[in-house]
Amino acid sequence: MRNNDWSRILGWRGYRVYRSEIDEQAKTLKLWVRRKGGEFFCCGCGRTVSEIAEVYEREVRDLPCFDYRTTVAVELYRLRCPDCGVKTEKVPQLPSKAPFSKRFEDAVGEACESAAARRVAKQFGLAASTVRSIDLRYLERWAANRRKPVLTQMGVDEIHLGKKQKFITVVSNLDSAEPAWFGRERKKETLDEFFQGELTARQRMRITAACVDMWEPYRLSLEQWAPNCRIVYDKFHVMQHANQAVDEVRRAEFFRKGGAIRGLVKGKRWLLLSRWMNLSSPKRQELTELFAMNRKIFKAYLLKESLDRLWTYRYEGAMVNYLHRWIEQLRWQRLKPFQKLAEMLVRHLDGILNYCRTKVPLGIVEAINGNIKSLLRRGRGYQNLRYLLLKAQRMAATRTEFVAFRKAA
Ligand SMILES: [Zn+2]
């Protein structure tokens, strides 16, 4: 094949192939390319530079050609930039110092969107750690080229990463439905760091609402840094506490009673934490049997289910009334975890009622939380929080793109 044809097949803009080598045994193809001419750009500052200091060659892996793994040897120039000194020229096909072309990295990054790094590594014949660094660069390039969404309504959440890394704090943007920032631990200082490092004073003033858990350190930080922000103790976070209360009752009953009831309570955790309306009839039957045996668990479940209805009210007075009636039901029940929950709700009543005063989208915090957890379940290498954040943002963005596409179609 002529070099001209190789140049066309390769399709590197501004470059032509001057030599090729095919190894049939090894199934490899190697192409040597050099520039057709044109201007040189400094990779440091981007300006045009005419003085050349040195010519050298670099090899990168490109997309395969049929069955052949393809390597491109590129002739490159080191330039003498008046501002930066001796620097390599900027070449769009070579986005980093790693031995891969841009479109090869894009292909790996795209594959990582629907499969775990280990599987992509197998597919491309790379180490999993290499795939993760390619994916990270791919995501960084994507993030650099998009407009950062404005933050007016935020969610603050905590996610448990495991015994070693413990908690991270997740700040999310409720308007764009994506995570905005991750920080280690869940202290006041953690959230302070976000407000100080990520936002200008003006941007902090623009925040009007925050959906958070009833967790003092977060409240203190929000009050200090976002003076126009209304704290909303939203349904998702309150119901998490209600679920915990049900679970405490379940465990207490499990240990208190012996024999038959133990067998019945065992393995019912998930069922008890599910909403009744989401359960199939056999599952409902299982729960009904359990409730017939144990009144306390039954009561706890009903209390949790009825608390959920609090957010059907959009008027403060109605919400307060409903909550009072709910607390009334606790009397004589001797359900300690629920009494504690009731006290907590009363202490945070103002923030709960803010739901009526500020319109915040429900379910977003929960969805973002779920996405991050599914990423953590599926993959490794997320000790790097930046990687986890970009991954979760990309996930949110492609999902919305997908939805928008379906709407258009
Ligand atoms: Zn320069």
Side-chain angles (χ1 to χ4, degrees), residues 41-49 80-85 87-88:
F41 298 97
C42 167
C43 77
C45 61
R47 63 177 283 178
T48 43
V49 180
R80 217 177 291 282
C81 172
D83 292 332
C84 316
K87 280 272 174 188
T88 312

Side-chain angles (χ1 to χ4, degrees), residues 309-355:
R309 242 169 286 147
L310 187 61
W311 288 270
T312 57
Y313 298 98
R314 298 247 52 175
Y315 297 100
E316 282 179 52
M319 221 177 174
V320 172
N321 278 340
Y322 187 81
L323 192 62
H324 275 154
R325 268 182 286 141
W326 187 83
I327 292 171
E328 276 295 299
Q329 294 177 67
L330 295 179
R331 257 208 263 182
W332 323 119
Q333 296 294 344
R334 280 176 300 153
L335 288 167
K336 255 251 167 75
F338 276 90
Q339 272 151 13
K340 273 199 308 201
L341 175 64
E343 282 158 25
M344 189 186 219
L345 296 179
V346 170
R347 265 202 317 278
H348 296 87
L349 185 62
D350 201 47
I352 293 170
L353 294 179
N354 272 343
Y355 171 71

Side-chain angles (χ1 to χ4, degrees), residues 177-226:
E178 63 173 13
W181 183 83
F182 291 167
R184 301 232 177 253
E185 299 183 85
R186 48 167 180 170
K187 298 176 181 163
K188 176 177 178 294
E189 291 79 7
T190 315
L191 201 51
D192 289 349
E193 196 188 317
F194 167 74
F195 285 122
Q196 273 180 299
E198 300 291 312
L199 302 179
T200 62
R202 217 196 157 113
Q203 286 171 319
R204 294 196 289 264
M205 298 293 278
R206 289 178 78 169
I207 298 171
T208 55
C211 287
V212 290
D213 193 11
M214 295 172 279
W215 176 246
E216 280 302 283
Y218 289 159
R219 180 180 68 80
L220 293 172
S221 181
L222 281 160
E223 282 174 358
Q224 181 184 343
W225 293 99

Side-chain angles (χ1 to χ4, degrees), residues 286-300:
E286 269 186 63
L287 271 190
T288 312
E289 279 165 27
L290 170 63
F291 294 155
M293 296 284 289
N294 191 295
R295 213 186 98 80
K296 270 201 169 171
I297 293 179
F298 182 39
K299 196 69 206 171

Side-chain angles (χ1 to χ4, degrees), residues 398-409:
T398 44
R399 282 204 178 163
T400 44
E401 274 160 28
F402 180 66
V403 170
F405 171 75
R406 272 209 311 205
K407 269 184 196 155

